[in-house]
Amino acid sequence: MKLKIMFLLFYIASSFGVYAINDPEPLKILCYNLRFGELASLEELAEFIKSVDPDIVALQEVDVRTYRERAPKQNGKDFITELGYRTGMLSAFGKTIPYMDGYYGIGILSKYPLSSIERIYLPKSAHGKEQRAVLVADVEYRDGAYITFASTHLDYTNTQERQLQVQALNKELLNRSYPVLLAGDFNAIPEAEEIMNGMKRWKDLSGKDATVPAKNPKKKIDYIFGYPAGKWELIRDTTYQVQLSDHLPLSAIVQMKQHN
């Protein structure tokens, strides 16, 4: 009799979706500054990305139809479109500056549909080197379920400029409707003001490994963050020892906690 009652309760619970409240499947995030393709071909970069098999990728130093003397093999190429094609992923590009007859900026690759895409310029003072931005996309990672994913690349010249840019990131991203993942080249070590205090409301999901320079890494300046901090769990982080750029790429397998 007890067995029948337990089976009946299980059947009722399943019928009403009680078991549908389990945490969502993990997402694998990759973050990579490409060094505008100076050190590797787009084929090599795409093969690496495919080998990692990420769900969503944040890219920095992405060229579109530029003509650089330092990267002649990449001249005229549309990095984001070609990488999307070669990896089989959907792609989005955010221009930060016009450069060498083309555009330079940041990008996103995703296995999943992008329901909205927005490029937002970050503050640039008289002390900043060049315009910076954040590329923001709402990603439908399951049917009817979304996260917000952002790729950025902050100023490399001074901490004051980066602090202003982090303030702008917080203003733009902390009040979004969906949980947020933010990845990019912050050009700042973990002890810097813009990371230690500027990003204190976020959870660092990217480990502690140094990411630059790629051949003999000494500093960590690339990150993957999640917000709200209590919503995200880090399952595993990896920094890849590959020499396709002057940065090492990093990944994080993350999972959302359904009840936070």
Side-chain angles (χ1 to χ4, degrees):
M1 184 68 178
K2 278 186 178 180
L3 188 60
K4 287 184 177 179
I5 292 172
M6 288 176 65
F7 178 80
L8 180 62
L9 290 173
F10 177 84
Y11 176 79
I12 293 170
S14 300
S15 298
F16 282 92
V18 173
Y19 290 90
I21 64 173
N22 292 334
D23 290 342
E25 289 296 310
L27 291 168
K28 189 172 190 179
I29 307 304
L30 178 68
C31 179
Y32 203 2
N33 181 317
L34 301 181
R35 182 64 179 178
F36 53 82
E38 181 184 21
L39 303 177
S41 69
L42 295 182
E43 291 87 349
E44 289 172 316
L45 291 167
E47 280 303 311
F48 167 73
I49 293 170
K50 284 176 66 177
S51 74
V52 173
D53 192 26
D55 294 300
I56 318 173
V57 186
L59 299 173
Q60 303 85 45
E61 298 203 21
V62 178
D63 273 7
V64 172
R65 299 191 296 274
T66 61
Y67 289 82
R68 292 179 184 261
E69 291 183 3
R70 296 172 65 179
K73 292 182 180 179
Q74 316 296 7
N75 282 353
K77 293 187 178 181
D78 181 338
F79 278 35
I80 198 67
T81 301
E82 188 164 335
L83 289 173
Y85 171 76
R86 292 183 177 278
T87 59
M89 303 179 82
L90 303 171
S91 63
F93 175 71
K95 184 206 81 171
T96 54
I97 58 171
Y99 191 78
M100 295 290 185
D101 297 325
Y103 307 104
Y104 170 79
I106 47 184
I108 291 173
L109 300 174
S110 175
K111 284 184 179 179
Y112 305 110
L114 307 177
S115 65
S116 68
I117 303 166
E118 182 181 10
R119 188 276 319 272
I120 302 166
Y121 281 136
L122 299 177
K124 180 183 179 302
S125 74
H127 304 290
K129 178 66 175 178
E130 63 187 35
Q131 182 65 61
R132 301 290 178 158
V134 59
L135 182 64
V136 185
D138 288 339
V139 181
E140 188 176 9
Y141 67 95
R142 288 187 319 190
D143 189 26
Y146 297 84
I147 63 165
T148 294
F149 186 81
S151 174
T152 196
H153 184 191
L154 302 190
D155 187 271
Y156 69 89
T157 59
N158 66 89
T159 180
Q160 290 79 15
E161 193 80 358
R162 291 191 295 271
Q163 288 176 46
L164 290 174
Q165 292 171 347
V166 164
Q167 290 172 19
L169 288 174
N170 286 327
K171 182 179 178 181
E172 292 291 345
L173 298 175
L174 294 188
N175 295 313
R176 296 276 166 162
S177 300
Y178 309 122
V180 183
L181 290 169
L182 167 64
D185 174 1
F186 280 67
N187 274 308
I189 61 175
E191 297 76 22
E193 174 68 20
E194 55 270 32
I195 302 296
M196 189 162 50
N197 289 317
M199 299 299 293
K200 65 182 178 182
R201 297 176 66 181
W202 298 74
K203 183 168 185 175
D204 187 349
L205 300 165
S206 54
K208 300 183 183 301
D209 291 343
T211 58
V212 293
K215 289 185 178 180
N216 185 20
K218 294 181 172 60
K219 298 188 297 183
K220 174 182 172 61
I221 63 172
D222 302 272
Y223 300 86
I224 300 170
F225 291 105
Y227 181 86
K231 185 76 173 177
W232 293 100
E233 177 185 3
L234 174 63
I235 297 173
R236 184 169 67 250
D237 66 84
T238 305
T239 302
Y240 301 90
Q241 304 298 315
V242 295
Q243 305 299 311
L244 303 177
S245 172
D246 61 338
H247 287 242
L248 296 179
L250 54 100
S251 74
I253 299 176
V254 300
Q255 188 168 32
M256 276 185 288
K257 300 175 184 178
Q258 196 78 324
H259 308 298
N260 287 68

